[in-house]
Amino acid sequence: MNKLNDQQLMIQKATISILFTLLVVAGYSQQQELKLWYNKPAVKWTDALPIGNGRLGAMIFGGLEKDRIQFNEETLWTGEPRDYHRKGAHKYLPVLRQLVAEGKQDEAEKLAEEHFMGLKSNEGKRDEWIKDMAALKGLKGNPALPGFDDSKWKEILVPTYEGWETVGYEGLDGALWFRTTFELPGAWKGKNLVLDLNRIRDQDYTYVNGKLVGQKSGGDARRYTIPADVLTTGKNTIAVQVLNFFDKGGIAGYKDTSRHIGIYPAGDEKSKLSLVKNWKFFVQNDNPPPVARFQADYQPFGDVYLNFAGVANATNYKRELDLNNAVVRTSYTLDGVDYTREYFASQPNQVIVIHVKANKAGKVNFDALLNSPHKLSSTKKIDDQTLGLNVQVRNGALKGESQMQVVTTKGTARVEGDKIVVRDADEVTLYIAAGTSFKNYKSVTANPSAIVKRSLQTMKGKNYEQVKAAHTNEYQKYFNTFSINFGKSTKDNIPTDVRLQQFASSSDPDFVALYTQYGRYLLISSSRPGTRPANLQGIWNDLLTPPWGSKYTTNINAEMNYWPAELLNLSPLHEPFFKMVEELAEAGRQTAKEHYNTKGWVLHHNTDLWRGTAPINASNHGIWVTGGAWVSQHLWEHYLFTQDKEFLRNKAYPIMKQSALFFNDFLVKDPKTGWLISTPSNSPEHGGLVAGPTMDHQIIRSLFKAVAEASEILNTDKELRTTLAQKAQQLAPNQIGKHGQLQEWLQDVDDPNNKHRHVSHLWAVYPGNEINFDANEKMMKAARQSLLYRGDAATGWSLGWKINLWARFKDGDHAYKLIQMLLSPADRGGAGSYTNLFDAHPPFQIDGNFGGAAGVGELLVQSHTQYIDLLPALPSALKTGEVKGIRARGGFELNLTWSNGKLQHAELLSNAGNDAVLRYAGKTVTFKTEKGKTYKLNSSLEVL
């Protein structure tokens, strides 16, 4: 046989490579479907499965006898349009800067608290209300007295450690009375006793046998001395009036639940008599005056309850979320009949859909209720097939309306009172529409009834299958742009909650792929073009006082929500974020003027539906000025990925430029170094009010460079371009400190034992790109040292950030270790994931889901330098796999296949016609591309 020439060998190698790829892809087609599934109903909210269409969201519990569908509409918030700015605050700016420069941090923070923070909403007449409650307004008799008749009062287990809201009294604020009794032991007679109730939220008046023994407000522990002469032989009565104004209420006891509230002789706590038991309670008044708030809270809208009789003995139960078609399904068998319930949130028809069917005729029977946790809500009959729900947000301007309409195949369905009664049907479909009076962040003049009617009108003439098909087609145009596989799963027959329990200690690479696609699903479900952006909990919230208001925290969390958007081929879903940035830029101009007396616009560390941009909360972390610059980075990143010059010209550049103009005015020269610095500010969210935090300078430098580059691309603002380029050079540089770390502050004061959740000074590594191995390896190593000092343990979202950082450090195995930590059960205590794979801060914050998904993408493709790096940080645990549709800056889209940790095949689609510079395993290849053309490469990066 003749020897093969070089060209024949190359063709043979390429053929083998392509055949291998086809075999691998064929193998993937047999792997697990993209489903989260469970063999039991949800018990807690974080067990339930999410659906959403960007505007409407719902959590599906899948209960047998009682199925709860808790739903949200994205614009139902507390608050109203108002002025968030403190007029003339800029007059105090020079003094603040001087105090910070002199090291008088406490004085600076105190001054800022009094004169620089943004304005709160109006507070009600609290003193008058407290006086009325103390005078027992609304009561017959005096509950403090031993002889008071409390026989008709309800009972509640005391303490309620996380507030009475967690035991069935969500939304309850006001004045409540608690009563119990204890028998005085004979040995305690004649002794002073100590009543130990520990925490009470927010204020209490505590009585024993009708005598006031103590009163406090705030978080201090309640340990009240009971004089011996107040006590009687036998039964003694304890009565506590609790005044709760906002959020968690009640007698909260100790965080360590093994420590009991109780009563004991003074000096003899070991003899404590436990008072952990059922107490009688009564609501004296549930309408306390409004509490002044810096910003508003995202609200739940309502609940649908489906009540089924006689199904407790069902078998073959399963509930699942199918990511391929965005449908939740519950199924079970009862008396030889198979039942199925399907749930989805339709974007084309703007309704939440619930479909119930059986495989035998006439077997569908249930009652459907529609209600809301809001105190100011009511359910009413609209017509024989429709229930209506009206909602008014307490202490807010917004109103909402929802309607639930029933359609049956055979059988009967009618509205009876506050429920829909379904009997003997073959199939039943419920359509739930909702709307609010929110028009935009300046107006609440929308007509919720019209929104609801418009949504339901779109159902006319359509059956369930048509509605479902339209939903699936619309959803899949986003979801199907990307796929990821890490080899055939050996655990596709294991429920998701069990896989989560086992993941950290077993090999289950396909679970990482499932988690990545779940992150994409969550973004599609909570952020569609034309909606509001995903908030701190995406679009899902069941609490009237959610953690951190379920707002937009702009010193990391809001941005992290959109880290997967470009890389994981969901670019259109970035649009709601850009719309919010446009509104923030408008609102932030007034903040810049009033608080800093500058041009341009500024955003601090939080915002809400009403686009508050002023500093909030406390001055030691609320005065952080680079939120606007960070959100502007997303505009620039969108351009880098898409190469859309019209977007750059008409949307991105004007906003980026105005942000840069703020910093052009704001920066001052440090008298000690001559550098331009940002002051006063903060390194989120610790260290207090300082001058020159490293993160600020990294973000500002990145903004200046992006604006300069954009102006050159657009051939505009040459003078500004020159100014910004010069100032970028004059900004305080990144510095390496005495511990070999990247300094977090201007001074070298980092503590190597600091394990804070924020890694703010590593912004320039990720999501920025200033620090990288190609540009400055020494600085990159210092940044890595900082991350090593900070440690791996963190809150859920912080783990998501660290995964991306370790990917940029090209350490895939370390990143994978953090993926295992992120995918560990939160019920073990601490960060990780809940049963439904929601990210646990704890509590739930969705940013960890998005950060984790983006981190997986960064392991496979990076394009933040001049190169497109293929498999730059591939973990050994993900040694075989395939990704399709992953995107790179420069307008490129890639498909990659690898085996045993080695690249096998690559495809590059050029969407803009730019030159491609690819790098893999130390080899770099550069070639010209044509717009719209796909290029195939082998494992040696040779174009085939």
Side-chain angles (χ1 to χ4, degrees):
M1 177 182 280
N2 294 330
K3 292 183 178 180
L4 297 174
N5 60 35
D6 290 344
Q7 186 176 9
Q8 289 172 319
L9 280 169
M10 186 179 297
I11 293 171
Q12 187 181 66
K13 287 179 180 178
T15 302
I16 291 171
S17 176
I18 292 170
L19 286 172
F20 177 84
T21 300
L22 292 173
L23 287 170
V24 170
V25 172
Y28 288 143
S29 67
Q30 304 300 315
Q31 77 166 47
Q32 171 205 11
E33 292 179 287
L34 289 171
K35 291 182 179 180
L36 282 67
W37 73 274
Y38 307 83
N39 56 17
K40 54 181 178 287
V43 176
K44 302 186 299 293
W45 189 81
T46 47
D47 298 340
L49 293 170
I51 59 173
N53 66 8
R55 187 178 72 87
L56 299 172
M59 297 292 286
I60 313 302
F61 284 68
L64 278 168
E65 293 181 287
K66 177 175 282 189
D67 188 2
R68 181 187 180 196
I69 299 93
Q70 182 273 316
F71 67 96
N72 296 88
E73 199 277 355
E74 64 171 356
T75 63
L76 194 68
W77 290 62
T78 63
E80 60 189 345
R82 67 176 179 87
D83 189 352
Y84 283 72
H85 313 92
R86 186 179 295 273
K87 297 192 184 307
H90 64 83
K91 297 174 184 176
Y92 295 90
L93 183 61
V95 182
L96 285 174
R97 284 174 165 164
Q98 185 64 33
L99 289 172
V100 169
E102 293 172 356
K104 298 177 180 178
Q105 187 181 61
D106 290 344
E107 291 182 39
E109 290 173 0
K110 184 175 184 296
L111 179 70
E113 289 285 349
E114 295 173 356
H115 300 291
F116 202 79
M117 305 306 290
L119 299 179
K120 292 183 179 182
S121 59
N122 293 328
E123 184 164 84
K125 297 178 180 180
R126 179 176 294 195
D127 291 342
E128 289 183 17
W129 184 79
I130 293 174
K131 185 177 179 180
D132 286 343
M133 296 307 100
L136 306 182
K137 185 176 181 179
L139 291 173
K140 292 182 179 180
N142 184 353
L145 299 177
F148 181 83
D149 181 10
D150 60 12
S151 59
K152 295 182 180 180
W153 286 17
K154 295 180 181 179
E155 291 189 348
I156 189 172
L157 181 62
V158 175
T160 51
Y161 297 101
E162 292 301 320
W164 55 47
E165 293 81 0
T166 59
V167 292
Y169 297 95
E170 168 64 16
L172 176 60
D173 297 312
L176 274 70
W177 280 88
F178 294 83
R179 283 172 53 90
T180 192
T181 61
F182 70 95
E183 294 285 335
L184 181 71
W188 293 7
K189 190 174 181 180
K191 296 181 179 181
N192 293 340
L193 303 185
V194 175
L195 177 59
D196 178 10
L197 299 174
N198 197 37
R199 295 173 300 153
I200 292 181
R201 299 178 167 117
D202 299 307
Q203 187 171 332
D204 73 295
Y205 295 87
T206 298
Y207 301 85
V208 175
N209 294 331
K211 302 293 184 181
L212 183 67
V213 297
Q215 65 181 75
K216 282 185 181 178
S217 61
D220 293 339
R222 272 67 167 180
R223 292 185 183 89
Y224 299 137
T225 299
I226 308 171
D229 60 6
V230 170
L231 300 163
T232 62
T233 302
K235 185 181 291 185
N236 291 262
T237 300
I238 301 172
V240 184
Q241 185 188 40
V242 174
L243 305 181
N244 170 242
F245 301 99
F246 177 76
D247 203 357
K248 297 176 182 178
I251 300 171
Y254 287 94
K255 286 186 178 181
D256 178 359
T257 58
S258 66
R259 295 182 64 194
H260 287 192
I261 63 170
I263 193 165
Y264 57 88
D268 186 16
E269 189 170 356
K270 291 182 179 179
S271 300
K272 181 186 287 185
L273 177 68
S274 175
L275 292 174
V276 177
K277 58 179 180 176
N278 282 342
W279 291 40
K280 293 289 188 73
F281 84 101
F282 181 80
V283 180
Q284 177 185 354
N285 182 289
D286 63 355
N287 191 31
V291 174
R293 305 289 311 287
F294 276 114
Q295 288 186 357
D297 297 340
Y298 181 50
Q299 297 288 282
F301 199 110
D303 295 273
V304 173
Y305 288 97
L306 308 182
N307 294 331
F308 298 83
V311 296
N313 296 321
T315 60
N316 301 324
Y317 178 89
K318 185 178 184 180
R319 66 183 174 100
E320 64 183 27
L321 165 59
D322 189 338
L323 302 182
N324 282 310
N325 57 22
V327 173
V328 169
R329 184 176 295 103
T330 299
S331 59
Y332 56 91
T333 302
L334 179 68
D335 298 331
V337 180
D338 295 332
Y339 293 88
T340 304
R341 306 175 203 160
E342 290 186 334
Y343 323 73
F344 59 87
S346 164
Q347 192 279 336
N349 296 109
Q350 287 298 309
V351 288
I352 294 167
V353 181
I354 304 169
H355 184 69
V356 185
K357 70 177 182 179
N359 69 342
K360 291 185 179 179
K363 293 296 184 178
V364 177
N365 297 276
F366 64 89
D367 295 343
L369 287 77
L370 177 65
N371 55 40
S372 173
H374 290 274
K375 177 186 175 184
L376 302 175
S377 64
S378 60
T379 304
K380 63 180 181 181
K381 178 180 178 179
I382 303 298
D383 56 41
D384 288 342
Q385 275 71 50
T386 312
L387 265 180
L389 172 68
N390 289 305
V391 170
Q392 166 70 62
V393 173
R394 179 169 167 249
N395 299 330
L398 287 169
K399 297 179 180 179
E401 182 173 331
S402 176
Q403 289 185 17
M404 178 168 65
Q405 196 170 86
V406 62
V407 177
T408 63
T409 301
K410 297 187 177 179
T412 63
R414 63 186 180 276
V415 173
E416 293 184 2
D418 62 350
K419 62 186 176 183
I420 295 175
V421 178
V422 176
R423 296 293 181 266
D424 306 323
D426 295 351
E427 298 183 25
V428 179
T429 308
L430 296 170
Y431 297 113
I432 299 131
T436 79
S437 55
F438 177 85
K439 183 177 182 181
N440 56 52
Y441 78 97
K442 298 177 181 179
S443 172
V444 292
T445 59
N447 184 343
S449 180
I451 295 169
V452 169
K453 289 176 182 177
R454 189 162 55 245
S455 297
L456 293 177
Q457 188 68 30
T458 67
M459 317 303 301
K460 299 293 184 182
K462 297 175 183 175
N463 60 33
Y464 170 71
E465 294 302 331
Q466 290 171 319
V467 173
K468 182 180 176 182
H471 153 74
T472 302
N473 291 337
E474 186 274 341
Y475 166 78
Q476 288 182 343
K477 76 179 183 182
Y478 300 115
F479 188 75
N480 288 352
T481 59
F482 173 93
S483 66
I484 187 169
N485 295 285
F486 293 126
K488 181 173 173 55
S489 174
T490 59
K491 301 197 175 188
D492 54 0
N493 62 340
I494 299 175
T496 302
D497 52 333
V498 179
R499 288 182 81 177
L500 181 66
Q501 293 281 343
Q502 297 177 354
F503 177 71
S505 59
S506 65
S507 175
D508 191 3
D510 191 56
F511 201 42
V512 180
L514 177 67
Y515 185 77
T516 305
Q517 288 285 41
Y518 184 51
R520 297 180 72 247
Y521 167 83
L522 293 174
L523 189 57
I524 298 169
S525 300
S526 59
S527 180
R528 294 282 221 288
T531 70
R532 261 39 60 187
N535 63 45
L536 201 59
Q537 296 182 178
I539 196 175
W540 301 279
N541 168 44
D542 67 328
L543 300 175
L544 294 172
T545 53
W548 302 284
S550 190
K551 303 193 299 291
Y552 302 95
T553 304
T554 49
N555 64 14
I556 174 63
N557 314 101
E559 292 90 347
M560 185 183 284
N561 283 1
Y562 286 87
W563 285 356
E566 303 297 335
L567 179 66
L568 302 188
N569 215 330
L570 294 173
S571 188
L573 306 186
H574 227 150
E575 186 269 343
F577 188 84
F578 299 151
K579 177 62 177 176
M580 179 175 73
V581 174
E582 183 180 337
E583 293 171 343
L584 291 169
E586 182 178 16
R589 281 199 293 271
Q590 189 176 350
T591 308
K593 179 181 178 181
E594 296 293 351
H595 287 256
Y596 301 98
N597 197 27
T598 66
K599 295 188 289 292
W601 69 280
V602 65
L603 167 67
H604 294 84
H605 88 294
N606 256 282
T607 191
D608 59 7
L609 181 72
W610 312 109
R611 303 304 181 238
T613 54
I616 70 164
N617 295 350
S619 61
N620 66 351
H621 67 275
I623 300 177
W624 176 77
V625 294
T626 39
W630 191 344
V631 298
S632 293
Q633 185 225 17
H634 281 249
L635 300 165
W636 178 238
E637 286 287 299
H638 180 73
Y639 166 74
L640 292 178
F641 274 94
T642 65
Q643 300 293 291
D644 184 344
K645 287 186 179 178
E646 288 305 304
F647 170 82
L648 182 65
R649 177 179 292 106
N650 299 325
K651 295 286 188 182
Y653 181 71
I655 293 171
M656 293 163 56
K657 173 184 173 181
Q658 290 300 316
S659 179
L661 289 177
F662 167 79
F663 291 105
N664 187 50
D665 287 351
F666 172 76
L667 294 169
V668 296
K669 184 175 288 189
D670 177 34
K672 296 179 181 178
T673 63
W675 294 328
L676 290 178
I677 62 170
S678 168
T679 180
S681 193
N682 166 262
S683 188
E685 291 178 4
H686 69 315
L689 197 60
V690 298
T694 297
M695 182 196 218
D696 275 16
H697 301 147
Q698 293 173 346
I699 295 175
I700 297 166
R701 195 158 38 239
S702 175
L703 174 69
F704 282 2
K705 290 180 178 179
V707 172
E709 187 174 342
S711 75
E712 190 164 9
I713 293 168
L714 300 174
N715 193 28
T716 188
D717 294 328
K718 183 176 181 180
E719 186 176 339
L720 176 63
R721 183 193 322 159
T722 301
T723 298
L724 296 182
Q726 291 172 346
K727 287 201 170 183
Q729 294 293 323
Q730 296 166 11
L731 272 164
N734 295 305
Q735 301 177 83
I736 298 175
K738 59 190 174 187
H739 303 291
Q741 88 287 4
L742 177 63
Q743 288 182 200
E744 185 165 2
W745 291 280
L746 201 60
Q747 299 79 24
D748 189 1
V749 294
D750 294 87
D751 178 1
N753 296 313
N754 179 3
K755 306 300 181 186
H756 199 273
R757 64 193 179 278
H758 282 264
V759 285
S760 305
H761 54 309
L762 304 188
W763 189 93
V765 177
Y766 186 94
N769 67 352
E770 178 187 7
I771 299 177
N772 60 75
F773 283 121
D774 295 314
N776 191 329
E777 186 173 355
K778 184 178 180 181
M779 196 64 70
M780 192 69 160
K781 289 180 177 178
R784 183 179 182 275
Q785 185 61 58
S786 287
L787 191 54
L788 286 171
Y789 281 137
R790 202 68 114 211
D792 292 336
T795 57
W797 64 263
S798 183
L799 288 172
W801 195 353
K802 291 177 180 180
I803 291 166
N804 285 276
L805 288 167
W806 283 113
R808 289 278 173 98
F809 291 134
K810 309 284 179 74
D811 192 338
D813 286 339
H814 201 141
Y816 192 80
K817 176 185 175 184
L818 269 66
I819 291 173
Q820 290 178 305
M821 293 170 67
L822 189 60
L823 275 169
S824 61
D827 59 14
R828 295 175 183 172
S833 297
Y834 294 106
T835 298
N836 63 2
L837 301 190
F838 271 175
D839 170 61
H841 178 283
F844 166 49
Q845 280 189 208
I846 204 167
D847 37 27
N849 290 99
F850 297 135
V856 174
E858 285 287 324
L859 298 174
L860 307 179
V861 171
Q862 294 177 17
S863 59
H864 58 289
T865 67
Q866 61 181 310
Y867 307 100
I868 299 174
D869 283 305
L870 309 183
L871 307 180
L874 187 68
S876 56
L878 305 178
K879 61 184 178 181
T880 297
E882 177 192 51
V883 63
K884 290 184 175 181
I886 196 166
R887 298 170 74 237
R889 294 167 183 84
F892 298 106
E893 203 169 300
L894 294 112
N895 302 335
L896 305 176
T897 305
W898 63 95
S899 180
N900 293 319
K902 304 294 183 182
L903 179 69
Q904 300 297 317
H905 180 72
E907 292 183 353
L908 178 83
L909 169 63
S910 176
N911 289 318
N914 289 325
D915 291 353
V917 184
L918 274 60
R919 182 167 64 178
Y920 172 71
K923 181 178 180 179
T924 302
V925 60
T926 303
F927 56 94
K928 295 186 177 298
T929 72
E930 295 179 26
K931 184 177 181 179
K933 187 174 180 181
T934 298
Y935 300 83
K936 298 182 178 182
L937 299 92
N938 62 18
S939 58
S940 299
L941 296 189
E942 296 166 325
V943 180
L944 302 177

